Each structure stands twice: as C-alpha cells, then as structure tokens.
Amino acid sequence: MISKYSVPIEQVDQYRDAHLAFLDGLESKGLVVTAGRQTPPKGGVVVLNVDDEATALELMKDDPYVLAGVGEYVATGFIPSRGALKDYPKP
C-alpha cells in the first residue's frame, strides 16, 4: 500500500499515534510485513502480507488517516524475488 497525504504534515501528525496503533494491530495478526513514512514525508508505504488487492484495501479503509480524511491508499502488488523478503512466508 502506498499512501499519499492530502493535508500538511502537521495535520497528519495529529493522527499519527492512532495510525501507528492501527498498524500495531495488523502487525500482531501477521498482516504487516513492514511500514514507514516516505522521505520527504508526503505519504507512506505499508507492505501487507495478504492474498489480493481487495483484501489490502478492505484492511486499510479503517486506518485513522483514511477515516480522518488526511491520507489515502493505493494498492500496488508486490512479490519479493530477491533480498531479505524473498522467502517471507505467504499468507
């Protein structure tokens, strides 16, 4: 998932703690592989371990950034074939 902030970063940061808690919940279920903010901070990247785009979009619709209208996500499929994630367990 690639997010894009729709407001200044100061407004996004008002929801950051809730967003991180949301990601913690997904990670505890084995759904988040890694996540982080883009540089410069115009959005973020969340690598999910799910089967398809529909599932990814369904999960991320409850992100506090989305609910508050400060960010939106686009799903981008990715199958690692090299590096540290190439043998990551599939869902």
Side-chain angles (χ1 to χ4, degrees), residues 13-88:
D13 283 346
Q14 293 175 13
Y15 301 93
R16 187 161 173 80
D17 287 344
H19 164 74
L20 294 175
F22 170 77
L23 292 179
D24 284 345
L26 294 180
E27 188 172 356
S28 72
K29 296 174 185 174
L31 298 171
V32 171
V33 176
T34 191
R37 206 172 241 180
Q38 296 176 34
T39 303
K42 60 183 181 178
V45 176
V46 179
V47 177
L48 296 172
N49 192 19
V50 296
D51 288 324
D52 54 54
E53 180 179 331
T55 302
L57 291 169
E58 180 66 22
L59 286 173
M60 299 311 289
K61 74 177 177 59
D62 293 324
D63 185 316
Y65 286 170
V66 173
L67 296 175
V70 301
E72 60 186 11
Y73 286 95
V74 173
T76 302
F78 172 70
I79 299 171
S81 60
R82 301 183 58 89
L85 295 178
K86 78 176 180 127
D87 295 320
Y88 197 85

Side-chain angles (χ1 to χ4, degrees), residues 3-9 11-12 41-43 65-66 68-72:
S3 70
K4 178 182 173 188
Y5 302 145
S6 55
V7 298
I9 193 67
Q11 286 177 264
V12 173
K42 60 183 181 178
Y65 286 170
V66 173
V70 301
E72 60 186 11

